[in-house]
Amino acid sequence: MEPAEGTPLWRLQKLPAELGPQLLHKIIDGICGRVYPLYQDYQSVWEPTEWTHVLEDITKFFKDVVGKNLSDEEISQQLNQLNSFHQEAIMKCLKSRKGEIKQVLLEEIVAISSAQLQDFDWQLKLALSSDKIATLQMPLLSLHLDIKENGEVKPYSVEMSKEELQNLINSLEAANKVILQLK
């Protein structure tokens, strides 16, 4: 059965089965910061524009599958249009190199922000009144952060009400859950 155009990795069907594992591992090498495979090695199989799509499709597929932590069954469903040689090559390649791809994805996420928390200090204050209200009785948190970015430490200070503090805590807990899922 020929895979329908537009299904994931349908262009891979043109590749002779014996070249599949080699191509897949070279693409993962490229994802991991090493050299991607060269068009010259596969020019007998694909046209230049097709080659670009092959690289993009396979790279996206590997990153999506690992990033979403799909099960073997879910991956197989996405590959059911390919012949069994290519399906098996992709599954073997994923099993052996999943950790490397996951590490690269984590590094990409970390690279989004190079800022790191160096130090922090906090104080709890009770605002008794303001220029508009005679008796306020409102707790305020003063948070002082030292953020290291590009080797330079910058101080930041923020004052929050109880509700704002709760929003911050909820956001940090949500971010922590995402990070734990990626590990």
Side-chain angles (χ1 to χ4, degrees):
M1 173 190 339
E2 279 294 309
E5 188 170 318
T7 58
L9 311 179
W10 67 274
R11 291 178 183 90
L12 195 57
Q13 203 67 21
K14 282 182 156 185
L15 185 69
E18 63 275 4
L19 297 177
Q22 175 187 355
L23 174 66
L24 297 171
H25 281 288
K26 283 184 177 182
I27 289 175
I28 291 177
D29 285 345
I31 292 170
C32 294
R34 294 183 286 276
V35 178
Y36 273 96
L38 301 173
Y39 171 67
Q40 296 126 289
D41 299 335
Y42 300 95
Q43 65 187 358
S44 62
V45 181
W46 294 292
E47 297 296 317
T49 54
E50 272 186 313
W51 171 248
T52 304
H53 289 296
V54 167
L55 286 179
E56 290 171 355
D57 292 348
I58 296 173
T59 299
K60 183 181 180 330
F61 175 80
F62 281 141
K63 285 183 172 184
D64 287 350
V65 164
V66 173
K68 293 176 183 175
N69 202 20
L70 297 182
S71 68
D72 288 352
E73 185 177 300
E74 291 170 312
I75 296 168
S76 294
Q77 286 175 355
Q78 290 190 22
L79 301 175
N80 66 1
Q81 296 291 316
L82 295 176
N83 68 40
S84 60
F85 297 114
H86 291 307
Q87 287 182 29
E88 187 179 328
I90 290 169
M91 294 304 287
K92 281 183 178 178
C93 199
L94 265 173
K95 280 186 170 82
S96 66
R97 311 273 311 263
K98 189 175 190 175
E100 289 178 73
I101 298 169
K102 191 173 192 175
Q103 186 62 38
V104 166
L105 293 176
L106 286 171
E107 288 170 7
E108 285 177 4
I109 290 169
V110 169
I112 290 172
S113 174
S114 62
Q116 296 176 333
L117 179 64
Q118 194 72 26
D119 194 15
F120 72 97
D121 188 23
W122 61 274
Q123 286 182 324
L124 187 58
K125 300 176 183 178
L126 184 61
L128 299 175
S129 64
S130 75
D131 60 347
K132 294 184 172 96
I133 301 173
T135 56
L136 192 55
Q137 301 276 333
M138 186 168 112
L140 295 171
L141 177 82
S142 289
L143 183 60
H144 304 282
L145 304 171
D146 289 333
I147 306 292
K148 184 177 183 179
E149 190 169 16
N150 301 325
E152 184 181 338
V153 178
K154 296 180 182 178
Y156 293 92
S157 296
V158 65
E159 196 169 81
M160 292 180 269
S161 68
K162 187 176 181 180
E163 294 79 25
E164 291 169 327
L165 177 60
Q166 191 58 54
N167 287 341
L168 175 66
I169 291 170
N170 292 340
S171 297
L172 292 172
E173 285 175 345
N176 189 42
K177 283 182 186 177
V178 170
I179 289 171
L180 291 174
Q181 287 176 346
L182 292 172
K183 288 185 178 180

